[in-house]
Structures are given as C-alpha cells and as structure tokens.
C-alpha cells in the first residue's frame, strides 16, 4: 500500500516519498486514505518490490483494460469518433557505476567506465478532454 500511496500522492521519486513520509500531513493522509500506520523506509520498500517480476503485474493491467472495454468506458477515449491517442515515453529508472543486478543494461563508456541502468517504455491511452489516462503494462 505504501508503494501505491507514493504514486497516488504524486511523489516524484521513492527518495522524495521517504523524505516526506514522516511529515504530519503526509502521515495523516497515509493513515486515512490507505490505512497505513507505519510507512516503510525506501530500503525496505526496495527489498520488497525489487524481487517482483514485472510480468506478474500484467494480468492486473489486462483485467482493468477488459473491464473498461466491457463497460463502454474505453469508447469515451475515442478521438474523432474512431481513434485512440496513445502516448509513449521512455525513461531511465536507475543508473549506477557501482551497483548492478542481473537484469541491468550495461553501458561501456569510451573512457573504460561502466554504467549499469534500467529503462522503461511506458504507454497510455489519453484524451484531450480527460484528466485520467489509461496506462498499458510497462
């Protein structure tokens, strides 16, 4: 729930969430909105979330998209009555010259340094008149 709260409360990073999690207003929101009494630190969250294979999240995205389609909500996102607008963005999620994992991408620099990094390609259905976007599984 803490990881979900971090995104729904629009913290820009795990570090920012970690730094603000003990502020009184944030603590109150975490308790009232998410039922969280003790928020884990960023290291604890990473220890819990890092082992999760992203493919395990795919069924949740598929289920939500299916429900939006069956309910007719997805039709509301058609633009010019027949098109969906899909935005795509790639972003770096992690980079280090020292710490890596088996899933890291590796960049060998001309000067001999090595960088380890993770990247993400994200896509979402958007509509100019709607504030809510429908993300696809990353």
């Amino acid at each position: 729930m803490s990881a979900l709260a971090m995104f729904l409360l629009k913290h820009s990073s795990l570090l920012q969430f970690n730094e603000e999690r003990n502020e009184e207003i944030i603590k109150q929101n975490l308790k009232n909105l998410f039922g969280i009494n003790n928020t884990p630190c960023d290291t604890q969250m990473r220890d819990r979330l890092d082992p999760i294979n992203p493919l395990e999240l795919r069924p949740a995205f598929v289920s939500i998209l299916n429900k939006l389609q069956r309910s007719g909500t997805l039709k509301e996102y058609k633009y010019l009555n027949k098109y969906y607008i899909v935005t795509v963005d790639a972003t770096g999620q992690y980079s280090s010259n020292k710490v890596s994992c088996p899933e890291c991408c590796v960049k060998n620099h001309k000067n001999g340094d090595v960088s380890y990094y993770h990247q993400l390609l994200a896509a979402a259905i958007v509509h100019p008149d709607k504030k809510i976007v429908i993300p696809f599984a990353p």
Side-chain angles (χ1 to χ4, degrees):
M1 288 305 292
S2 294
L4 178 63
M6 179 186 76
F7 288 105
L8 293 178
L9 295 175
K10 302 194 186 252
H11 286 84
S12 62
S13 68
L14 187 54
L15 181 61
Q16 181 195 19
F17 180 71
N18 187 57
E19 290 171 350
E20 297 177 6
R21 69 189 168 98
N22 290 318
E23 291 179 12
E24 202 52 46
I25 189 81
I26 301 294
K27 283 175 76 170
Q28 200 61 41
N29 284 340
L30 291 170
K31 184 176 182 177
N32 293 341
L33 298 173
F34 301 96
I36 300 168
N37 292 317
N38 297 312
T39 310
C41 70
D42 60 327
T43 302
Q44 290 170 311
M45 278 215 279
R46 283 188 181 95
D47 287 346
R48 296 291 303 245
L49 297 174
D50 284 352
I52 297 173
N53 182 339
L55 292 176
E56 294 177 32
L57 302 174
R58 188 173 300 271
F61 282 89
V62 171
S63 175
I64 291 168
L65 193 59
N66 286 339
K67 287 178 183 174
L68 291 172
Q69 197 170 23
R70 281 195 302 271
S71 70
T73 303
L74 201 55
K75 287 180 186 176
E76 296 174 19
Y77 281 78
K78 284 191 176 181
Y79 190 69
L80 299 176
N81 295 320
K82 62 180 184 175
Y83 301 103
Y84 291 105
I85 302 171
V86 177
T87 61
V88 179
D89 190 19
T91 184
Q93 292 186 284
Y94 170 80
S95 181
S96 173
N97 294 10
K98 298 177 183 166
V99 180
S100 67
C101 73
E103 287 79 30
C104 276
C105 298
V106 179
K107 184 185 289 183
N108 294 300
H109 301 275
K110 290 181 182 180
N111 66 0
D113 289 348
V114 177
S115 296
Y116 305 98
Y117 63 98
H118 286 246
Q119 289 187 308
L120 172 79
L121 181 65
I125 296 173
V126 300
H127 191 283
D129 299 328
K130 298 197 177 289
K131 292 182 179 181
I132 297 172
V133 302
I134 303 169
F136 290 108

